[in-house]
């Protein structure tokens, strides 16, 4: 017994010593790895700027960062780290740290460094127009390297995204959240570069003329994807030469459209009637641009006899972003249009200045043409222009559809394709689409404040349902005397039955797939209609918001989903400060608010 006790004591002592040595080893190597990653973090901002401005010039910086991540990866690999990673409490912390270091190394070594090397001799400034012409081959050399780099970048981002934050301590949890954002943005950047490099040559007409229909949406009168398609411009490309054709107003295009230009599916007419196929203004009432694009092409061809190869949608907020890159432009009447005044002038001031709709249409056409002309003249920096379009795409304000099936396949799955929200295992997604029912420009005065909140995080019981709440506040910022102080063209003058100064909002709430409706209510007691579109339950409500009034809407859904994140795609408004994508995470149990 005494001998056995001594043996047990030696075993325990050896185990404690081994545990102590393992702890010391992990602490030392972890500290060293952290130092390497700190160098990466401190140099990342300058490197990202260099990559954006001139990828080739960033090679040396990226290689230095890759050396740091490689060292960190080596320090956090091996059997001791593997053993420590399965220990209680500390194990998940070490495993998360290891995943971040491995993913950082793969992102740099397999994506950014090879891509930057391939970009030697390529500059973003090659995208600057010269004499109204863009070089169709400006990014051709990056098409294959970017495509090759996209897969490891996406894998690295997925690895960090899939880290279970539940057991992580506060500091590490926040660090993983930050890493998640950086890796996701990096993967998105490389993916966008890959798709752009594939699409650009054909879109610029390298093999012959291409024609695109540019829809300028007006967010002062809401439609699901932004606003009414107030005007349409034909943009022509031919071996890099870019030119603008005539502008058609939605009013002219909608004349004599008693019958739909195409027969819409019953799923669409059950929610939107035949309006999108009868009135050009209503094209983007259907919140799926893969439907709106072909509809716009057909509508325009029947009305003008002109066939186009694709459709692009923008709004005045996008024009303001472009003006930030080009600088102000001068309109034919001497008015200066700038990034500071474009939104207010194009979506509100024009109606106070010009009561005649024909004059308004002429002003819109002149403004849009002046901005495009500034671009074609090569004003400003190419990197500023790319940043403007990137921001517009992220905010769902820049949409595109191609009549060429292979090009549309490249666009599919991106934000600029304008898809319906799709729920996956990680993220439950609502669609919250707002439409003006006043027949006026009162949407300019309505501020939607949207938030999401989970009832709980996923439990070990996968079948246990959880609730997700979408909350919307619609607040009218119109002056109390809006009925008399605002121009009748803005108020609608009761032409469609809504009292002047009141904004009628028709909302469509697309529920996340796999979730069931628990409840839906508004603070003014409005009812909800229910329909189905593309496998999604759609709730429709209508409310009248009087000046200075707020009406709330709550929709609660329930589902046995492993999702830890939630998003809502919301109609882009005239206010650039309102992000059209609202997010919330169940880990923090915080409410993400659109404001």
């Amino acid at each position: 017994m005494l001998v056995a006790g001594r043996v047990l004591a030696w075993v325990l002592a050896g185990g404690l010593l081994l545990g102590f040595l393992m702890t010391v080893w992990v602490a030392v190597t972890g500290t060293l790895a952290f130092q390497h990653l700190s160098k990466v973090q401190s140099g990342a901002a300058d490197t990202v700027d260099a990559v954006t401005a001139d990828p080739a010039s960033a090679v040396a910086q990226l290689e230095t960062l890759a050396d740091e991540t490689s060292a960190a990866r080596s320090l956090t690999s091996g059997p001791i780290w593997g053993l420590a990673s399965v220990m209680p409490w500390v194990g998940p912390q070490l495993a998360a740290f290891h995943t971040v270091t491995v993913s950082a190394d793969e992102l740099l070594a397999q994506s950014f460094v090879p891509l930057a090397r391939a970009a030697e001799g390529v500059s973003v400034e090659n995208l600057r127009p010269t004499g109204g012409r863009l070089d169709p081959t400006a990014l051709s050399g990056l098409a294959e390297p970017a495509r090759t780099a996209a897969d490891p970048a996406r894998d690295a981002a997925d690895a960090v995204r899939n880290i279970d934050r539940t057991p992580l301590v506060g500091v590490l949890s926040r660090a993983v959240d930050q890493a998640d954002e950086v890796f996701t943005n990096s993967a998105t950047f490389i993916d966008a570069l890959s798709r752009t490099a594939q699409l650009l040559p054909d879109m610029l007409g390298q093999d012959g003329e291409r024609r695109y229909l540019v829809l300028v949406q007006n967010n002062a009168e809401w439609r699901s994807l932004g606003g009414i398609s107030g005007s349409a411009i034909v943009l022509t490309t031919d071996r890099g030469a870019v030119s603008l054709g005539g502008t058609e107003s939605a009013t002219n295009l909608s004349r004599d459209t008693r019958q739909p230009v195409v027969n819409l599916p019953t799923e669409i007419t059950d929610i939107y009637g035949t309006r999108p196929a009868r009135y050009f203004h209503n094209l983007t009432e259907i919140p799926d641009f893969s439907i709106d694009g072909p509809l716009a092409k057909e509508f325009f061809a029947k009305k003008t006899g002109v066939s186009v190869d694709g459709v692009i949608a923008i709004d005045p907020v996008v024009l303001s972003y472009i003006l930030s890159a080009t600088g102000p432009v001068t309109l034919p009447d001497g008015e200066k249009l700038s990034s500071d005044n474009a939104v207010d002038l194009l979506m509100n001031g024009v109606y106070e200045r010009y009561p005649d709709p024909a004059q308004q249409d002429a002003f819109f056409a002149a403004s849009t043409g002046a901005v495009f002309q500034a671009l074609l003249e090569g004003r400003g920096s190419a990197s500023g222009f790319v940043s403007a379009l990137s921001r517009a795409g992220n905010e769902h304000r820049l949409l595109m559809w191609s009549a060429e099936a292979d090009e549309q396949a490249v666009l599919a799955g991106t934000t600029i394709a304008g898809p319906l929200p799709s729920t996956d295992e990680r993220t439950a997604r609502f669609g919250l689409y707002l439409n003006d029912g006043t027949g006026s420009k009162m949407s300019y005065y309505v501020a939607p404040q949207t938030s999401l909140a989970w009832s709980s995080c996923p439990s070990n019981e996968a079948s246990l349902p959880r609730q997700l709440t979408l909350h919307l506040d619609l607040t009218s910022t119109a002056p109390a005397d809006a009925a008399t102080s605002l121009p009748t063209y803005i108020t609608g003058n009761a032409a469609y039955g809504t009292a002047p100064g009141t904004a009628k909002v028709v909302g469509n709430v697309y529920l996340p797939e796999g979730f069931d409706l628990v409840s839906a209510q508004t603070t003014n007691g409005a009812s909800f209609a229910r329909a189905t579109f593309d496998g999604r339950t759609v709730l429709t409500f209508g409310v009248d918001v009087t000046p200075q009034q707020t009406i709330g809407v709550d929709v609660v859904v329930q589902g046995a989903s492993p999702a830890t994140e939630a998003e809502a795609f919301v109609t882009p408004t005239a206010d650039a400060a309102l992000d059209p994508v609202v997010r919330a995470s169940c880990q923090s149990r915080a409410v993400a608010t659109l404001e």
Side-chain angles (χ1 to χ4, degrees):
M1 181 68 70
L2 182 60
V3 173
R6 287 178 177 175
V7 170
L8 178 60
W10 276 105
V11 169
L12 290 174
L16 290 173
L17 178 60
L18 178 62
F20 174 74
L21 292 175
M22 185 171 68
T23 301
V24 171
W25 174 264
V26 168
V28 171
T29 56
T31 299
L32 293 173
F34 179 77
Q35 291 173 354
H36 286 291
L37 290 183
S38 295
K39 293 178 182 178
V40 174
Q41 183 180 23
S42 62
D46 291 340
T47 305
V48 168
D49 290 340
V51 169
T52 303
D54 186 359
S57 70
V59 172
Q61 292 170 265
L62 287 168
E63 289 176 338
T64 298
L65 296 184
D67 289 341
E68 300 290 350
T69 58
S70 178
R73 179 176 185 169
S74 297
L75 288 165
T76 59
S77 300
I80 295 179
W81 264 82
L83 182 61
S85 295
V86 299
M87 295 173 62
W89 189 81
V90 72
Q93 323 299 320
L94 299 178
F97 187 58
H98 173 70
T99 298
V100 171
T101 58
V102 170
S103 299
D105 187 44
E106 292 178 351
L107 178 64
L108 282 163
Q110 298 180 30
S111 292
F112 272 116
V113 171
L115 183 57
R117 286 172 179 162
E120 290 183 312
V122 176
S123 172
V124 174
E125 290 304 307
N126 292 346
L127 294 173
R128 181 198 294 271
T130 302
R133 186 181 183 279
L134 276 160
D135 181 4
T137 65
L139 297 179
S140 296
L142 294 181
E144 189 55 37
R147 194 198 313 241
T148 302
D151 287 340
R154 182 175 59 253
D155 292 343
D158 287 344
V160 175
R161 184 181 302 115
N162 291 330
I163 294 174
D164 183 6
R165 271 72 145 185
T166 306
L168 302 184
V169 295
V171 173
L172 187 56
S173 179
R174 289 191 293 273
V176 171
D177 286 342
Q178 292 171 356
D180 188 359
E181 181 179 0
V182 170
F183 280 62
T184 298
N185 290 341
S186 298
T188 300
F189 165 76
I190 293 174
D191 180 69
L193 178 61
S194 171
R195 295 174 194 260
T196 301
Q198 294 176 60
L199 291 170
L200 194 63
D202 288 332
M203 289 192 64
L204 290 176
Q206 70 170 359
D207 296 323
E209 183 179 276
R210 287 287 191 95
R211 284 187 290 196
Y212 297 91
L213 188 65
V214 179
L215 307 179
V216 184
Q217 297 193 83
N218 187 339
N219 317 76
E221 187 173 346
W222 285 338
R223 293 297 181 267
S224 297
L225 294 182
I228 61 168
S229 301
S231 58
I233 307 169
V234 176
L235 184 149
T236 301
T237 63
D238 189 359
R239 293 173 179 80
V242 184
S243 60
L244 293 178
T247 300
E248 293 282 351
S249 72
T251 301
N252 287 335
L253 291 170
S254 300
R255 296 188 191 281
D256 302 320
T257 51
R258 297 173 185 172
Q259 297 299 319
V261 295
V262 298
N263 292 321
L264 297 173
T266 302
E267 273 195 331
I268 292 177
T269 56
D270 283 348
I271 303 172
Y272 305 103
T274 59
R275 295 184 302 273
R278 291 174 54 220
Y279 302 103
F280 199 83
H281 312 73
N282 294 332
L283 287 172
T284 55
E285 191 173 8
I286 305 168
D288 184 344
F289 204 67
S290 68
I291 296 174
D292 303 339
L295 178 57
K297 171 184 167 69
E298 184 69 17
F299 207 126
F300 196 75
K302 285 192 174 182
K303 287 298 183 178
T304 67
V306 176
S307 182
V308 296
D309 300 292
V311 181
I312 301 169
I314 59 174
D315 65 18
V317 177
V318 177
L319 295 180
S320 75
Y321 295 164
I322 295 174
L323 286 166
S324 294
T326 64
V329 297
T330 303
L331 304 181
D333 64 356
E335 177 83 27
K336 289 282 188 180
L337 192 68
S338 70
S339 60
D340 295 328
N341 70 4
V343 171
D344 182 68
L345 188 55
L346 293 173
M347 284 193 267
N348 191 249
V350 64
Y351 304 114
E352 297 179 349
R353 183 178 304 182
Y354 302 112
D356 182 357
Q359 291 178 304
Q360 297 164 9
D361 291 340
F363 186 83
F364 287 130
S367 300
T368 306
V371 175
F372 273 94
Q373 188 59 39
L375 276 177
L376 297 179
E377 291 174 359
R379 297 191 203 173
S381 68
S383 60
F385 173 54
V386 171
S387 296
L389 294 187
S390 176
R391 180 180 178 184
N394 291 337
E395 294 179 0
H396 298 200
R397 297 181 184 277
L398 172 63
L399 306 172
M400 186 179 301
W401 169 81
S402 174
E404 298 292 330
D406 56 343
E407 294 177 14
Q408 182 61 21
V410 175
L411 289 170
T414 66
T415 56
I416 65 172
L420 288 171
S422 181
T423 291
D424 53 38
E425 289 189 353
R426 173 180 168 81
T427 307
R429 293 183 175 90
F430 279 96
L432 175 57
Y433 302 110
L434 307 172
N435 289 274
D436 169 79
T438 319
S440 72
K441 301 299 181 287
M442 287 301 296
S443 299
Y444 184 83
Y445 293 95
V446 181
Q449 308 285 340
T450 308
S451 62
L452 293 167
W454 288 100
S455 63
S456 63
C457 287
S459 69
N460 293 327
E461 300 179 43
S463 61
L464 186 65
R466 297 179 296 134
Q467 291 189 352
L468 176 60
T469 299
L470 169 74
H471 177 75
L472 166 69
D473 279 333
L474 291 167
T475 301
S476 172
T477 62
D481 62 349
T484 55
S485 65
L486 295 179
T488 56
Y489 195 86
I490 291 180
T491 65
N493 203 31
Y496 297 94
T498 302
T502 295
K504 180 184 287 294
V505 179
V506 179
N508 304 117
V509 183
Y510 283 61
L511 305 190
E513 303 110 304
F515 284 74
D516 298 320
L517 179 66
V518 175
S519 63
Q521 59 185 0
T522 66
T523 55
N524 71 338
S527 60
F528 291 78
R530 186 166 178 164
T532 302
F533 183 76
D534 196 22
R536 297 161 176 81
T537 298
V538 182
L539 306 180
T540 300
F541 66 91
V543 294
D544 289 347
V545 189
T546 58
Q548 305 297 305
Q549 182 187 25
T550 296
I551 293 180
V553 180
D554 280 293
V555 175
V556 182
V557 297
Q558 181 172 276
S561 168
T564 58
E565 306 295 323
E567 291 181 351
F569 291 4
V570 185
T571 296
T573 72
D575 188 350
L578 296 179
D579 192 338
V581 183
V582 181
R583 299 176 176 86
S585 170
C586 78
Q587 282 99 356
S588 61
R589 292 175 173 78
V591 176
T593 304
L594 176 68
E595 60 182 351

